Amino acid sequence: IGLVLPLKNSMKNPSNFSKPFGVLNVGVSMQTILFLSLGIFGYWKYGDETEGSLTLNLPTDEWLAQSVLLVLSFGVVLGYSIQFFIPIQIMFPTVRRLIKFADLNPMTGEIVFRACMTLVTVGVALAVPNLGLLISFIGAICSNSLALLFPVLIEFLVVTRDNKPMTGVFMAKNGFLLLLALIGFASGAYESIKQIIDLY
C-alpha cells in the first residue's frame, strides 16, 4: 500500500501503471495467485496445525526446507530496502534539520540513519516474543486505515474543496467503504488483542 504511489510517480511512463494490463494489475494478480496457492497447499498439507508463517511448519532437519529458509532470508534482505524506502524518505529530512552532521554529509547521514533504523526494527523483532501477533495487531489498525479509511477521507476533501455538492452515489460508496474499514478495524483489533491476552 505504501509503495503504490511512489512507484507510480517514479515511473518513466506513469500512464502504464494503472492500465488493464499495466504494472499494478499484473503485479497484484501474480501476487494474489502466488499467495493463494501457497495458502491452499500449506493448509492442505498441515491442516489445523498450520502456523502463522508457513515456514515454521517446515522440518528443520531437511536440506530442502533449509534451502527454502535461506532463499526466503535472501529475499527479505533484498526486499527490505524497498519496503523501508518510504519511511526513510519521510523521516530523514527531519533528521537533517536536527543533526548538523547529517545536513553537512547527506549521503553518509542517510546511510547511518538507515542502518540505525534497521537495527531498531531488528531489536523490536527480537524483543517481542510472538511477532506474528504484533504484526496482526498493527496490520488490523494500519492496513485498514491505509486501504480504506484514508482514501475515503482524501477523496471527500478533494471533491468538496470547491463547495461542490456530493452525489448520492458518492456518499453511498464512501459510507460503504467506511463501514468496511470500521468492521475490519474492530474485528481485526479484537481478535489480535484476544490472542495476545490468551498468550499471556
Side-chain angles (χ1 to χ4, degrees):
I1 293 169
L3 292 175
V4 170
L5 289 176
L7 282 174
K8 182 177 181 180
N9 291 336
S10 64
M11 286 179 64
K12 186 176 181 181
N13 298 311
S15 59
N16 292 337
F17 188 78
S18 52
K19 287 182 177 177
F21 292 99
V23 175
L24 180 64
N25 290 333
V26 171
V28 170
S29 298
M30 289 171 60
Q31 190 176 14
T32 301
I33 291 168
L34 181 65
F35 282 177
L36 202 59
S37 60
L38 285 174
I40 289 169
F41 288 124
Y43 193 77
W44 191 0
K45 167 69 175 167
Y46 299 110
D48 290 337
E49 296 176 2
T50 306
E51 298 286 346
S53 175
L54 200 56
T55 55
L56 296 174
N57 287 101
L58 297 176
T60 55
D61 55 346
E62 293 183 12
W63 70 269
L64 188 59
Q66 292 300 314
S67 65
V68 168
L69 293 175
L70 185 66
V71 170
L72 182 66
S73 302
F74 192 61
V76 169
V77 168
L78 293 178
Y80 194 76
S81 58
I82 296 172
Q83 292 291 333
F84 216 39
F85 175 73
I86 305 305
I88 294 294
Q89 293 294 100
I90 293 170
M91 293 185 292
F92 187 63
T94 305
V95 172
R96 283 187 68 172
R97 282 195 302 273
L98 296 174
I99 301 173
K100 191 173 183 179
F101 174 81
D103 193 36
L104 296 173
N105 306 288
M107 180 69 81
T108 307
E110 186 172 345
I111 290 171
V112 170
F113 180 63
R114 283 176 184 267
C116 290
M117 292 307 297
T118 302
L119 290 174
V120 166
T121 58
V122 169
V124 170
L126 291 173
V128 176
N130 192 328
L131 194 60
L133 293 178
L134 178 65
I135 291 171
S136 173
F137 179 69
I138 292 172
I141 296 170
C142 298
S143 294
N144 275 317
S145 300
L146 284 172
L148 297 171
L149 182 62
F150 290 137
V152 169
L153 295 177
I154 290 169
E155 186 182 32
F156 174 78
L157 292 173
V158 169
V159 168
T160 59
R161 70 179 165 189
D162 296 328
N163 295 325
K164 293 179 182 175
M166 290 183 295
T167 64
V169 174
F170 173 82
M171 291 177 68
K173 178 195 72 156
N174 283 350
F176 176 71
L177 290 175
L178 284 175
L179 182 66
L180 273 181
L182 185 62
I183 291 170
F185 173 82
S187 60
Y190 170 78
E191 188 61 32
S192 299
I193 292 171
K194 183 176 175 293
Q195 288 180 3
I196 291 170
I197 291 171
D198 291 344
L199 180 68
Y200 297 106

